[in-house]
Amino acid sequence: MEIKQTAVAGTLESSDIQIMLSKGNHGIEIDLESDVKKQFGDQIISVITTTLKKFGIENAKVKAVDKGALDCVIKARTIAVAQRALKTTDQPAWEVL
Amino acid sequence: MYESIEQLNLNDPRKRQQWENFLKSLGISNFSDKEINGIDLTLGMYDGNELVGTGSAAGNVLKFIGVCNKGVTQGARFNRIISELTSRLYQNQIFHILVFTKKKYSQSFQHLGFTELASTDSAAFLETGSPNITDYLDELPKVVDQEHQSIAGIVMNANPFTLGHRYLIERAASENDWVYVFVVNTDASLFSTDERVALVKQGTADLKNVMVVSGGDYMVSYATFPAYFLPDSVTNIAYQTTMDARIFRDRIAPALHIGTRYIGTEPYSNTTSQYNKALLRELPPKVKVREIKRLKTAAGQYITATQVRKIIQEGDVTRIKELLPKTTYQFIEDHLDMLELRIKKGMNIDGN
């Protein structure tokens, strides 16, 4: 699936993650900012990548600012931002959940 | 304890007073009309009736950020106000956000995903979102084996493109393998950005080693260098020119392997001569600066775009024929009514 527009989901408050998704040409490139990057960086990146792949997104620039979000939050924010970027918010992607 | 965030109407005198007092207590005191009028959105964070945090946006630039941390977790209010402010900009499809701040707050912004582009002893300039400076640089045209060639850079507003600009580009093109011409990307001039870029491209079409590109938000843009477009104090000019020079030195030039920046000597404009001084002070030794003496007409007059705009205002355009390349002259002749209408509508022509 092609990214149609830049989109954002999430906030910068504690326990949340803010994800921005925009067009890219070199696979899924993730730029992650997190205070716990050392411990959980790989895990966060894997949740984002897996979720995006379920939407069929192969190329995207992802900018994520994590404030200690749990995996379920990361997944929810990724789903929201993907649907916004693909302009499919009117068709919830149940199979991804 | 969770504070509420609401939009502040600065036209309400009581709110305005409370807001100014709050910022003054945090050491922010520049409330000039010029600053205030540019603001599109102001948010206030309230604990009961007390203002405990605020932030504003002017276009894609964050301004007047202040929070009181008394009795709460350090940074919590700051994160909330920035979060709310950026979300509102994102909702308005503004995805690239800039901020100027004191050096000591740079770290706080970096915690929220901002990247520092340049800093001085006292101030820092940061961005977040997309497209960022890496995207901007990736989009620019490149040449084969660029790192081993001699590359020059010129930044110009070209409002409009004159034989003086052409002369500067020709000099750079003859002394280097390739030349990047960055055209200022801010619509605050008599000629629009699209018109200026088109005229530079047409006027240099015969020079095969010249690449005309947009300066983006990073070279003499309204965001980084407002004093270029509006009169400002000497301190502000010094601070903005230094920041602009450092972005070029540390971000633009290394990525494109630009070894030399060409500038024209500035006989008249104070801002531009300050800018040249800052470039001469900041760029070497990483980037050489070549100052080229400005071209004169047969009658011994310096060629300036300011003069061209004055004559457009007066209407007798045959007088500027000798200052302009054919392409620019043709454009002015064809669009004289439109240009004069813009001047009548209040477009400032005395600036740059």
Side-chain angles (χ1 to χ4, degrees), chain B residues 2 10 13 16 76 103 120-121 163 170 172-173 210 238 248 254 265 277 306 320 331:
Chain B
Y2 209 59
L10 295 182
R16 169 77 179 264
K103 177 84 177 157
T120 65
D121 294 339
L163 286 175
E170 274 174 10
V210 171
F248 189 83
T265 50
K277 272 187 206 149
T306 314
I320 45 178
F331 178 87

Side-chain angles (χ1 to χ4, degrees), chain B residues 246-300:
Chain B
R246 290 190 180 181
I247 297 170
F248 189 83
R249 179 190 71 191
D250 298 336
R251 295 289 178 157
I252 309 292
L256 302 173
H257 306 285
I258 293 173
T260 315
R261 168 95 176 242
Y262 280 71
I263 56 178
T265 50
E266 181 50 62
Y268 304 122
S269 156
N270 176 45
T271 310
T272 311
S273 80
Q274 293 283 333
Y275 184 39
N276 283 353
K277 272 187 206 149
L279 291 169
L280 285 162
R281 183 185 67 234
E282 296 291 333
L283 296 191
K286 287 187 188 162
V287 179
K288 281 184 287 211
V289 179
R290 282 272 279 146
E291 203 174 11
I292 305 290
K293 208 148 198 248
R294 201 177 265 256
L295 191 64
K296 287 183 184 174
T297 61

Side-chain angles (χ1 to χ4, degrees), chain A residues 8-66:
Chain A
V8 184
T11 74
L12 300 169
E13 290 168 54
S14 186
S15 305
D16 201 349
I17 183 168
Q18 187 174 63
I19 303 177
M20 180 182 286
L21 202 58
S22 42
K23 276 183 193 151
N25 299 314
H26 313 287
I28 292 177
E29 302 168 273
I30 301 183
D31 168 17
L32 172 68
E33 155 76 34
S34 171
D35 286 345
V36 292
K37 192 170 176 176
K38 243 186 210 161
Q39 300 93 317
F40 300 112
D42 292 346
Q43 172 66 12
I44 297 169
I45 286 170
S46 121
V47 173
I48 295 175
T49 314
T50 319
T51 313
L52 290 179
K53 290 244 161 95
K54 282 188 190 161
F55 278 96
I57 296 172
E58 299 293 339
N59 292 300
K61 281 187 184 146
V62 183
K63 180 165 172 103
V65 183
D66 169 62

